[in-house]
Amino acid sequence: MRRFSSFLLLLFMFVVVSAADYTKYYEGLPVTVKAVEPVVIPQNEVSIADCGGVGDGVTLCTAAFEKAVSRLTKLGGGRVVVPEGVWLTGPIMLKDNIELHLQQGAMVCFSPDKRLYIDKNAGAKRVYPCIRASKRKNIAITGKGIIDGGGQQWRPVKRGKMSDVEWKQYLNMGGQVTDDGQLWYPWQMKNGYPDIADNAKDQESMRNDLIRLTDCENVLVEGVTIQNAPRFHLHPCYCTNVIIDGVSVRSEWNVQNGDGIDLSDCHQALIVRSTVSVGDDGICMKSGMPSTSHQVAGCEDIVIEDNTVFHAHGGFVLGSETASGMRRIVVRHNRFSGTDVGLRFKSSLDRGGKTEQLFISDIQMNDIAGEAISFQCDYVNRHAGDNGKEPQYTEEQRRWAPNFQDIHISRVVCRGAQTGIKAAGIRGMQCVHDIDISDCTIIYHQVGQDIDSQTAQLTLDNVRLIECRNE
């Protein structure tokens, strides 16, 4: 009896954070996908207000966050509570069994003081992310509050993407404009904080993600608004069992490298009921070169359902890194409105890999600036200030050619795209093949099909491409 009572006490010490029933997302799938499992956090709570934090938007609360995480870690984990208020802070590091919970009305704003983010590792090329975790288990970021990365203090902006009013607003912050007047860097800002590099371009290359979780197991991000990132907004890398539920990710449409939700080499993941409107890719899968440094390689066993993407370079995107492969990914019942491209598959000779068992269905789109569906194998990732020269590839790099295949797209409805379907591979290589598109209706303004039949083999079945030039 005593042993049973001890078991009950231990059980009540933990709370299942991801209490939603996710089984419905795995019903009727066209391929067997390993389902996510609940994330469990110990039932302890510590408020940052009780750790010296003040939510007045002025007081720096970095130490308060560190103290709250430390107290909970000694208890075996629990919930860091962020109450209503504006909480100014430097980088936050999560540890095992820690949940960062933002209550209604809470705003976590990251300080413009770049010195706070300098990585103590001498070999680091970037600063610390605003929120980070590495090699941790059972971590969560939840609630109804806002996480603001203060990205305008880190990102360059292009003059061609700015109205006169917006451009003047950036100039009023200080900064440095390139000699040709086409690019603004957040260098020598008027906020009084010093720079941390020798020049504007080097400092720009140091900027990191708002939320970056690396080599973690059992991750939940739920309910929060994530905005204004220095670089990518929400970026799990080499993680297993990831749940992203009901988050809102947002930035200005012209934000440089401002990806919304990126999964890089993640296994067993679910992205549902979320809204994205950003300056770069919306919901994106990436897979880097195979590495002995990480146990997880490639993206596999992923379901993406019931999400809405407004502005983004692509609604659902694969790439440009696909080297370690993409396997068993299901994307269904999503909406893209106002994206540059709807379904975007992009890679290049030095970063390509194989796709297997990708099923995309029941996608609704409208007001697509470019292509409804696009396959591109010569993508070049150009940074701000790039000279525009075409890359030259070595023979070793050419071994990593894209291999887009075993992709099945069905029941897409798109009202309004410049081009319906565009696809091109690389001559002499099998880069785009064994792809079927069926039961789709795409209303386009300029081009219905732009498919290079010499390099891309797509099978279209009951695909209606309807021209409408007068809207």
Side-chain angles (χ1 to χ4, degrees):
M1 183 67 177
R2 182 178 302 170
R3 183 176 298 176
F4 181 70
S5 299
S6 299
F7 171 77
L8 287 178
L9 178 61
L10 182 63
L11 181 65
F12 288 128
M13 288 174 62
F14 290 83
V15 58
V16 178
V17 183
S18 51
D21 181 9
Y22 294 118
T23 57
K24 66 179 182 180
Y25 294 107
Y26 295 91
E27 295 174 356
L29 295 181
V31 62
T32 301
V33 174
K34 188 176 182 180
V36 294
E37 300 173 359
V39 177
V40 180
I41 301 292
Q43 201 167 8
N44 304 307
E45 287 191 357
V46 172
S47 171
I48 60 169
D50 296 330
C51 296
V54 181
D56 60 1
V58 178
T59 305
L60 189 66
C61 300
T62 312
F65 280 101
E66 291 176 356
K67 185 179 290 186
V69 171
S70 179
R71 283 186 184 179
L72 288 168
T73 298
K74 292 176 181 177
L75 297 173
R79 170 182 282 187
V80 176
V81 177
V82 184
E84 180 177 357
V86 179
W87 307 88
L88 181 69
T89 183
I92 298 170
M93 182 173 66
L94 303 180
K95 297 184 178 181
D96 289 342
N97 305 312
I98 294 295
E99 174 189 358
L100 179 64
H101 181 77
L102 281 66
Q103 294 182 337
Q104 180 76 46
M107 298 182 67
V108 175
C109 298
F110 286 90
S111 171
D113 187 350
K114 298 180 178 67
R115 295 171 297 180
L116 299 174
Y117 305 87
I118 295 175
D119 194 325
K120 296 180 177 61
N121 180 359
K125 295 180 179 180
R126 293 179 180 163
V127 299
Y128 286 133
C130 299
I131 299 175
R132 74 187 191 277
S134 177
K135 298 181 180 178
R136 299 296 180 180
K137 291 185 178 181
N138 307 320
I139 57 175
I141 302 170
T142 67
K144 297 182 179 180
I146 296 173
I147 301 172
D148 191 302
Q152 69 275 7
Q153 301 293 331
W154 291 94
R155 300 183 305 258
V157 295
K158 296 179 179 179
R159 179 65 182 94
K161 291 186 174 182
M162 294 276 144
S163 68
D164 291 344
V165 172
E166 291 171 310
W167 186 247
K168 288 179 181 178
Q169 289 174 343
Y170 276 94
L171 295 180
N172 287 337
M173 294 166 58
Q176 182 184 81
V177 179
T178 54
D179 292 340
D180 61 4
Q182 296 304 305
L183 191 65
W184 175 91
Y185 285 103
W187 175 259
Q188 297 179 345
M189 302 285 277
K190 292 180 181 178
N191 58 28
Y193 295 111
D195 295 301
I196 57 172
D198 293 332
N199 57 71
K201 193 170 183 179
D202 286 349
Q203 182 168 273
E204 185 274 331
S205 69
M206 296 171 67
R207 62 189 171 111
N208 210 331
D209 305 331
L210 202 171
I211 301 173
R212 185 180 179 93
L213 312 172
T214 307
D215 296 296
C216 293
E217 183 179 345
N218 306 333
V219 173
L220 172 70
V221 184
E222 181 181 44
V224 291
T225 295
I226 304 164
Q227 65 181 31
N228 198 17
R231 189 170 170 266
F232 297 170
H233 285 79
L234 176 53
H235 194 191
C237 307
Y238 310 105
C239 292
T240 301
N241 195 47
V242 178
I243 302 170
I244 299 172
D245 182 4
V247 303
S248 177
V249 184
R250 58 188 296 272
S251 72
E252 299 299 324
W253 73 271
N254 45 23
V255 163
Q256 188 79 15
N257 306 121
D259 286 23
I261 300 172
D262 283 16
L263 298 185
S264 292
D265 293 281
C266 288
H267 292 183
Q268 195 180 351
L270 181 68
I271 303 174
V272 295
R273 299 185 292 203
S274 295
T275 302
V276 177
S277 186
V278 292
D280 211 301
D281 293 331
I283 299 174
C284 183
M285 306 290 104
K286 298 179 181 293
S287 173
M289 292 288 185
S291 169
T292 57
S293 301
H294 307 281
Q295 294 183 350
V296 176
C299 286
E300 63 182 49
D301 293 315
I302 297 170
V303 173
I304 300 168
E305 184 168 344
D306 193 20
N307 303 287
T308 302
V309 180
F310 293 106
H311 188 272
H313 286 182
F316 171 74
V317 181
L318 219 66
S320 60
E321 299 89 347
T322 61
S324 291
M326 305 281 177
R327 301 170 286 273
R328 299 183 301 281
I329 299 175
V330 177
V331 183
R332 61 182 185 176
H333 301 293
N334 296 285
R335 300 156 296 278
F336 309 146
S337 180
T339 60
D340 291 350
V341 179
L343 300 171
R344 187 180 188 191
F345 304 83
K346 59 176 180 176
S347 194
S348 64
L349 281 175
D350 63 335
R351 60 184 67 190
K354 187 177 183 180
T355 60
E356 301 173 74
Q357 295 183 298
L358 269 61
F359 294 87
I360 302 171
S361 66
D362 301 289
I363 307 296
Q364 320 303 320
M365 309 183 201
N366 81 314
D367 192 23
I368 305 300
E371 301 86 23
I373 302 172
S374 172
F375 291 88
Q376 179 184 7
C377 296
D378 61 351
Y379 177 79
V380 179
N381 185 22
R382 298 198 184 281
H383 300 282
D386 192 294
N387 59 20
K389 292 182 179 179
E390 290 300 316
Q392 300 296 315
Y393 298 108
T394 65
E395 286 303 313
E396 173 62 22
Q397 288 174 320
R398 291 177 66 88
R399 289 182 55 237
W400 296 96
N403 188 3
F404 292 126
Q405 58 99 50
D406 198 3
I407 299 174
H408 313 276
I409 301 171
S410 63
R411 298 187 298 281
V412 172
V413 176
C414 176
R415 181 169 181 83
Q418 178 176 301
T419 300
I421 302 170
K422 183 175 182 178
I426 300 172
R427 293 193 181 277
M429 294 184 175
Q430 287 283 307
C431 293
V432 182
H433 61 100
D434 295 301
I435 296 167
D436 56 79
I437 304 174
S438 63
D439 302 319
C440 298
T441 300
I442 300 174
I443 299 173
Y444 66 91
H445 303 312
Q446 293 188 15
V447 180
Q449 292 185 39
D450 184 5
I451 300 173
D452 182 357
S453 60
Q454 298 297 314
T455 62
Q457 286 75 54
L458 279 63
T459 300
L460 275 58
D461 179 21
N462 191 31
V463 175
R464 296 194 301 163
L465 297 166
I466 303 171
E467 183 179 13
C468 186
R469 293 182 178 271
N470 297 323
E471 291 190 353

